[in-house]
Amino acid sequence: MESLFLDSIEKVQSFLHFIFYMDSEHFLKYFWSFLVFDLPRYVLLDFLVIFAYLPLRRRRARRYAIARKQLFRERPLVSVLVPGKNEGKHLAALAESLRGQTYSKLELIVVDDGSDDDTEIIGRRLKRKGLIRHFIRNEERGGKASAANTALAYAKGRFIVHLDADLHLNPDSIERILIPFFLEPAIGMVGGDIRVRNASDSITTRLQAIEYMKGISVGRTIASMLGMLRIVAGAFGAFRADVLRELKGWDVGPGLDGDITLKFRKLGWRVHHEPYAVCYTQVPDTPIKLAKQRLRWDRSVVRFRARKHVDMLKFDRNFRVTDFVTVAENLYSNIFLNLLWWVYIVQITVFQAPLFPRIIMVNYLLYLLANIVAYAIAIVLLKDTVRRDDFHLIWFLPLMPFYVGFFIRVVRTYAYVTEFLHGASYQDPWNPWKVSRIARREGM
Amino acid sequence: MALDPVFLVLTHDAAKFVPEGGARLSPDNLDDEMASRADFFVLDGADADEAMGMLRDVRGHANTKVYLKPVVLGAGAAQAHPILREAVDAVGSADERMHPVAPEQEELIHHILASKHYQQKIPNVLGQQQLSMRLLRFMASRGSMEQMPVQTTSALGGYSYPKLDMFFPEEDASIWELLEELRKQHLIEGRFITRAFHCVHCECAFLNFMETCPDCGSPNLESEEMIHHFRCGYVAAMSEYRRGDVLVCPKCDLGLKHIGVDYDKPSLIFRCNDCQFVFEEPEPSTVCYNCGRRTAPEDQIQRTVYAYSITALGSNVALFGQEQLFNRLLKENLELIDNESFSRIVKMEMERIQRYGKSTSSLLILDIRNLSEALSRLGERSVEFYRDMANAIVAEMRSSDMMTIVGRSVANVLLTETDVQGAEAVKERIIQRLDAIFQEALSMPSGAEGRIEAVEGIQSWDEGMVA
Ligand SMILES: [Zn+2]
Ligand SMILES: [Zn+2]
Ligand SMILES: [Zn+2]
């Protein structure tokens, strides 16, 4: 008993010795993955929220108030497009929540993309009640992009809000997503802040809630400030209708959100993330469901950024530094970093095998610290839009290094490898066969 | 003393020729004793409108012997009028010098004159207001003849029941409601002919159905097919794709080749030429040709058009004036409920059993074959007889059981918490009791037969299934 205790003490001592008596050269050698890539990207950059974003926002408070006044004075019509399949069950709640918005000059356009449930009946009933302006039924599914484009054909608004049917909004969400257009005329597109609605369902959902706060709320706010936002959530995004029309709407693909964002940028429009335009989404509650969702998302990265928008990396007359950085950073962070991470794993398992447990332990502590910092910054940023439940997430931070460092990375790697080798997303159930078959043939 | 004329020629023309055996009568003199004694009336056929007016005078008269009398349409231009031909009992010979009735029509006239309803000395106190009673008597006196609806543009309702219409003032649409009321009371029964829309404001059947703009109501619309280009996901009206003779995608500049292969047409898009509103579905609307009012089709009256004939119950009521026989029974006997409530309860019971699956209830469908004959033999005593029968059935029922009466001879009984064997026993006991009542009152068997259904085994319930 006593010897066991002494043994433990000894282990802790040697571990502390390992940390505190390591020279910086070794430290870098053992932990370069964290120090070179994750520290600057996920921790140092986050401090910009405290030192740049929030002060800037405070300085602009008056301008923000003026922009808001202008919105309510001009009262432009806003078309809310809700394309989707089998979303009927969400429509009544959605229509009600739109009626409760502080900004009320809205028209709701629902496209029923080949639903095989009661969506048609529900939609027609809501239309008769005047809660839906247009309800368009496609007998056969055409895919997300075509459904959104169908809705666009009916839209009369000066701004278009694209919304997933199952999202929940705050009463001021629409108002807040519109104000940036009046704050800066160069803004063509605004993304809403997606939060997790069912965080308390399971550990899987809690970890995603933390991930969304870090990645979307904080990450996109900073990217937007730096002019490097590469994706605006299709789930809740606002667009200038004239630009969307000029682009002739959304393109076919699994990740149509990122695609349309880059197209706006190519036309010279600024893309903005608004952390206080909140929407709540239901996230997968088991690891299997989550893995499937992420596979779909990650494959689109390869397909669209690597294949379709590779021209943003070319030095021609349309070249812009921010665009270049955006796409390069995206490829870098998603594909290159993922590759390096495997290099790192190989290095510490093969070459530093004897030190492996200690290196893993230190890495864990570093990433845990990084997560705590990121979480704290997210809480500071989101202020009064933070819900009580969000504070309880703090107890799940110790799981985050496993979640991000292992689960997400494995899924992502699998997605990239299969997409590169087989072009797997063409067989994705995301699009009906008639559409994916063409995309595959055209090498899109 | 001169013999009474066999027939009377109704005419406003004082110089009208009358064949042998007949006499002239002005329609103003229908109150004359002579009018009720003659065998039949002949309408002066010179003018259709006048003939129609005289027929209305006859059918609208207070005296049974006048308004039930057979009417023959006499020679003249009016014989060509299609509705009038149907409205009279018979179309007479085309030559006014001949006897107005052809030999083959004589039987029909005698049949009417011989009917109990014509012969019965019915007090005339009922007068004009008892229109339903007069209709029933008329239908009963014409025996098993069905009153067929005739499609016509000359009636506001689009259909006319030519014989029955003559009981109503011109342009009166209340005949629809009255017939429906009688049908619901099982005094007459309807055979489905068709369905028809009627204006909710004026009952007019002539409605202009049109597609209109949901925003401004204008019918001045254009519609186009939407085209979805698979390759780029673009969706727009076909005109956007049209470049000369070919279709080219305005988004990706590629020509469209084959529908279903590289593009399809998922829906239609409409544009209003008056207010420029763009929409997915025009609003159907109707404008009434008579009153000019615009109404949504679902707000118009949609009716079933039936061919009507009288039931044994109706015939009985026509004789004895117990118009509310059935309704009175419903009120008197608490265990007897109306058809609609019964259907509702059976449905609830079905759903309850389907949900919990543990109870067994049975439905007894009892057809008392000889009831019609019994009612027509019993006349005024029908009510008592009916009550005895109801009591006999109720005696075998428990307090939670329920009964309704459908049509002229069918009783439906819901036996709750009773399985099929139990129900068979109840059925046998009820039939025994009914036979006893029939024997006692009429010395005849009831002819009752029963069928048992387990409630949970009924696939779908509607009133018609067991009627
Ligand atoms: Zn195209
Ligand atoms: Zn219009
Ligand atoms: Zn009318």
Side-chain angles (χ1 to χ4, degrees):
Chain A
M1 190 68 200
E2 199 172 316
S3 70
L4 197 70
F5 178 71
L6 288 175
D7 198 37
S8 311
I9 292 282
E10 201 177 308
K11 270 194 179 142
V12 171
Q13 269 179 341
S14 87
F15 180 63
L16 292 176
H17 188 271
F18 171 73
I19 296 174
F20 292 112
Y21 290 86
M22 195 179 335
D23 57 30
S24 49
E25 190 190 321
H26 277 91
F27 197 69
L28 189 63
K29 187 178 162 195
Y30 297 151
F31 305 109
W32 57 267
S33 173
F34 177 81
L35 295 172
V36 177
F37 303 107
D38 294 311
L39 182 68
R41 260 177 62 82
Y42 294 118
V43 183
L44 299 183
L45 219 48
D46 282 8
F47 279 103
L48 284 177
V49 166
I50 308 286
F51 298 116
Y53 183 79
L54 289 175
L56 180 73
R57 187 130 192 160
R58 261 193 300 279
R59 278 201 306 280
R60 282 177 150 197
R62 241 183 65 81
R63 275 181 58 196
Y64 189 87
I66 292 168
R68 182 178 185 278
K69 236 184 222 137
Q70 199 187 340
L71 166 68
F72 281 92
R73 200 176 51 238
E74 290 182 20
R75 272 179 61 78
L77 178 66
V78 176
S79 304
V80 180
L81 315 188
V82 181
K85 184 186 175 185
N86 294 347
E87 302 283 15
K89 52 193 174 295
H90 304 299
L91 290 180
L94 179 80
E96 277 307 320
S97 105
L98 286 180
R99 261 157 65 109
Q101 286 294 312
T102 51
Y103 188 79
S104 57
K105 194 151 182 207
L106 306 170
E107 58 168 10
L108 174 56
I109 305 176
V110 177
V111 174
D112 168 10
D113 196 22
S115 297
D116 45 23
D117 61 358
D118 287 341
T119 299
E120 187 179 358
I121 300 164
I122 296 167
R124 288 190 197 284
R125 201 183 57 221
L126 292 171
K127 186 178 153 184
R128 265 200 306 281
K129 283 164 99 181
L131 289 165
I132 293 180
R133 176 69 160 154
H134 294 284
F135 179 80
I136 303 112
R137 159 83 179 163
N138 287 344
E139 285 303 328
E140 210 181 305
R141 192 162 76 105
K144 195 96 176 163
S146 83
N149 290 336
T150 303
L152 184 61
Y154 290 89
K156 277 263 195 278
R158 193 162 108 205
F159 299 102
I160 305 287
V161 170
H162 184 283
L163 192 61
D164 282 358
D166 59 342
L167 290 185
H168 284 201
L169 298 177
N170 280 347
D172 63 352
S173 295
I174 299 277
E175 170 193 329
R176 284 188 178 264
I177 207 168
L178 293 172
I179 290 172
F181 291 113
F182 293 85
L183 201 59
E184 279 183 55
I187 289 178
M189 183 175 184
V190 181
D193 206 63
I194 303 177
R195 315 272 176 89
V196 172
R197 185 166 95 227
N198 56 333
S200 52
D201 279 5
S202 66
I203 291 178
T204 309
T205 59
R206 286 197 174 90
L207 295 179
Q208 288 174 87
I210 300 170
E211 186 193 11
Y212 276 59
M213 285 168 80
K214 275 171 52 185
I216 296 178
S217 304
V218 177
R220 288 187 186 166
T221 299
I222 292 165
S224 164
M225 187 181 67
L226 298 176
M228 284 167 51
L229 191 62
R230 61 172 187 270
I231 187 160
V232 160
F236 182 38
F239 307 83
R240 281 183 63 129
D242 51 349
V243 185
L244 208 48
R245 288 234 163 70
E246 190 184 336
L247 290 171
K248 305 246 182 278
W250 287 266
D251 285 1
V252 178
L256 74 166
D257 321 342
D259 192 48
I260 197 81
T261 313
L262 293 185
K263 285 185 134 191
F264 264 71
R265 295 189 50 155
K266 279 186 196 171
L267 285 179
W269 290 97
R270 281 201 49 198
V271 174
H272 182 83
H273 179 78
E274 179 50 51
Y276 305 126
V278 182
C279 69
Y280 298 94
T281 187
Q282 191 89 12
V283 296
D285 54 358
T286 67
I288 299 287
K289 286 189 215 161
L290 176 62
K292 281 187 180 154
Q293 183 199 50
R294 293 303 163 93
L295 281 178
R296 208 169 59 216
W297 291 1
D298 288 336
R299 279 171 181 155
S300 77
V301 170
V302 178
R303 180 150 162 216
F304 285 89
R305 253 69 71 200
R307 293 191 192 161
K308 202 169 163 189
H309 293 287
V310 84
D311 60 335
M312 281 173 103
L313 296 173
K314 286 188 195 135
F315 295 90
D316 57 14
R317 66 185 176 83
N318 288 325
F319 179 80
R320 291 199 326 182
V321 176
T322 48
D323 288 345
F324 178 88
V325 174
T326 302
V327 174
E329 192 269 351
N330 182 33
L331 291 176
Y332 156 82
S333 68
N334 283 305
I335 300 172
F336 179 66
L337 277 190
N338 203 50
L339 215 65
L340 280 183
W341 183 74
W342 287 105
V343 170
Y344 178 67
I345 295 291
V346 170
Q347 177 206 329
I348 59 171
T349 47
V350 177
F351 301 103
Q352 268 90 39
L355 292 173
F356 182 73
R358 289 180 183 183
I359 290 176
I360 287 293
M361 189 68 200
V362 175
N363 261 319
Y364 174 76
L365 292 173
L366 290 173
Y367 280 104
L368 177 59
L369 201 67
N371 272 291
I372 292 169
V373 169
Y375 175 77
I377 287 173
I379 295 284
V380 170
L381 169 67
L382 301 182
K383 288 185 295 199
D384 32 312
T385 66
V386 175
R387 295 197 293 189
R388 266 229 333 269
D389 282 356
D390 297 337
F391 289 110
H392 299 308
L393 293 172
I394 195 166
W395 307 112
F396 295 86
L397 286 173
L399 290 173
M400 281 305 281
F402 299 114
Y403 174 71
V404 177
F406 185 71
F407 182 82
I408 295 294
R409 286 228 153 111
V410 167
V411 170
R412 181 165 289 175
T413 304
Y414 178 78
Y416 293 169
V417 169
T418 51
E419 178 70 20
F420 268 123
L421 294 182
H422 312 297
S425 73
Y426 296 111
Q427 290 141 25
D428 200 288
W430 189 258
N431 276 306
W433 172 242
K434 62 180 181 189
V435 172
S436 9
R437 188 188 44 176
I438 300 258
R440 188 180 175 80
R441 202 179 58 211
E442 309 260 336
M444 282 172 67
Chain B
M1 192 183 96
L3 267 141
D4 273 339
V6 177
F7 60 91
L8 293 170
V9 177
L10 296 181
T11 177
H12 293 291
D13 178 1
K16 181 79 185 171
F17 170 81
V18 176
E20 200 182 335
R24 205 168 22 240
L25 182 72
S26 161
D28 300 330
N29 297 331
L30 283 171
D31 292 337
D32 279 8
E33 211 14 58
M34 186 166 74
S36 47
R37 282 209 302 270
D39 278 2
F40 61 95
F41 295 132
V42 178
L43 300 177
D44 178 352
D47 180 86
D49 286 344
E50 261 183 27
M52 193 88 87
M54 291 187 290
L55 184 54
R56 282 207 157 87
D57 288 343
V58 171
R59 299 302 186 219
H61 198 267
N63 186 348
T64 322
K65 291 271 178 181
V66 174
Y67 75 73
L68 289 183
K69 201 174 293 294
V71 177
V72 175
L73 180 57
Q79 285 194 346
H81 193 286
I83 296 288
L84 192 54
R85 288 177 71 90
E86 295 295 323
V88 293
D89 290 293
V91 177
S93 80
D95 184 347
E96 72 171 1
R97 252 160 285 273
M98 305 254 296
H99 189 272
V101 174
E104 66 268 20
Q105 290 168 341
E106 269 174 30
E107 198 189 338
L108 172 85
I109 287 171
H110 285 130
H111 195 77
I112 296 170
L113 294 177
S115 83
K116 272 184 282 191
H117 300 84
Y118 186 81
Q119 290 301 328
Q120 190 88 6
K121 299 238 179 310
I122 302 168
N124 290 325
V125 289
L126 296 169
Q128 288 291 116
Q129 68 275 22
Q130 286 289 345
L131 205 46
S132 55
M133 194 61 187
R134 297 154 64 80
L135 277 187
L136 280 181
R137 283 182 185 154
F138 177 79
M139 288 173 78
S141 67
R142 266 58 181 173
S144 55
M145 178 196 278
E146 237 181 8
Q147 301 297 324
M148 282 291 292
V150 176
Q151 206 171 319
T152 172
T153 51
S154 61
L156 197 60
Y159 283 95
S160 161
Y161 294 91
K163 289 185 175 61
L164 305 183
D165 266 343
M166 294 302 128
F167 286 82
F168 293 81
E170 243 173 312
E171 302 295 302
D172 183 345
S174 59
I175 183 168
W176 294 94
E177 264 100 51
L178 187 56
L179 289 173
E180 192 48 26
E181 191 52 41
L182 293 177
R183 194 184 69 83
K184 278 188 185 146
Q185 293 177 31
H186 301 289
L187 298 175
I188 60 176
E189 60 190 356
R191 180 169 64 84
F192 179 93
I193 299 295
T194 186
R195 287 184 73 75
F197 279 98
H198 287 135
C199 173
V200 69
H201 306 290
C202 72
E203 302 269 348
C204 175
F206 303 96
L207 302 170
N208 185 10
F209 280 76
M210 52 193 191
E211 298 193 317
T212 61
C213 167
D215 259 26
C216 75
S218 164
N220 184 4
L221 310 178
E222 264 171 33
S223 75
E224 262 196 276
E225 282 171 312
M226 292 281 259
I227 287 187
H228 165 209
H229 193 210
F230 296 162
R231 186 183 180 276
C232 67
Y234 192 54
V235 180
M238 193 192 270
S239 54
E240 269 199 57
Y241 286 82
R242 197 158 265 145
R243 247 181 247 174
D245 285 346
V246 290
L247 296 174
V248 176
C249 176
K251 181 171 179 179
C252 60
D253 262 341
L254 282 174
L256 305 190
K257 285 174 253 124
H258 301 289
I259 185 158
V261 177
D262 58 339
Y263 73 97
D264 65 0
K265 297 172 174 175
S267 55
L268 283 178
I269 189 165
F270 294 81
R271 185 173 288 102
C272 172
N273 286 328
D274 281 351
C275 74
Q276 310 307 320
F277 183 50
V278 171
F279 51 97
E280 64 279 15
E281 203 176 30
E283 212 157 82
S285 180
T286 62
V287 174
C288 174
Y289 280 105
N290 184 48
C291 70
R293 272 182 275 204
R294 174 189 286 248
T295 312
E298 64 268 25
D299 294 335
Q300 301 287 32
I301 308 169
Q302 211 192 338
R303 284 207 174 93
T304 302
V305 180
Y306 294 105
Y308 290 106
S309 53
I310 194 151
T311 62
L313 188 64
S315 205
N316 204 269
V317 166
L319 272 179
F320 307 107
Q322 294 137 356
E323 200 179 339
Q324 301 300 319
L325 173 74
F326 190 72
N327 289 346
R328 261 173 57 195
L329 279 166
L330 284 185
K331 280 177 197 130
E332 261 176 45
N333 204 316
L334 289 177
E335 275 77 17
L336 208 56
I337 60 173
D338 64 90
N339 294 167
E340 274 159 41
S341 311
F342 188 82
S343 290
R344 213 164 44 241
I345 290 163
V346 171
K347 260 185 219 146
M348 274 162 50
E349 185 70 4
M350 274 166 70
E351 279 160 19
R352 191 178 68 84
I353 292 172
Q354 269 155 19
R355 189 166 323 134
Y356 301 107
K358 55 186 173 193
S359 97
T360 328
S361 293
S362 301
L363 190 67
L364 166 60
I365 299 142
L366 200 62
D367 187 354
I368 308 157
R369 297 274 169 86
N370 295 338
L371 184 59
S372 303
E373 203 196 324
L375 292 179
S376 59
R377 274 169 64 180
L378 283 166
E380 277 166 322
R381 281 176 50 221
S382 294
V383 181
E384 282 81 10
F385 184 72
Y386 233 120
R387 190 182 299 138
D388 282 352
M389 279 194 328
N391 285 340
I393 300 172
V394 168
E396 295 296 338
M397 286 163 51
R398 286 178 301 181
S399 59
S400 59
D401 298 346
M402 254 147 306
M403 174 163 74
T404 190
I405 291 182
V406 184
R408 56 187 123 180
S409 65
V410 176
N412 290 335
V413 187
L414 176 67
L415 302 163
T416 52
E417 304 292 332
T418 308
D419 61 15
V420 175
Q421 282 94 340
E424 285 290 347
V426 173
K427 180 186 92 180
E428 289 309 319
R429 289 200 298 272
I430 288 178
I431 290 177
Q432 269 174 29
R433 278 177 185 266
L434 289 177
D435 278 335
I437 293 168
F438 269 74
Q439 284 299 343
E440 192 186 287
L442 299 154
S443 307
M444 64 190 275
S446 70
E449 280 177 20
R451 184 159 63 91
I452 308 282
E453 298 263 3
V455 167
E456 62 271 32
I458 302 172
Q459 289 306 310
S460 71
W461 167 268
D462 60 83
E463 243 181 274
M465 200 191 93
V466 292

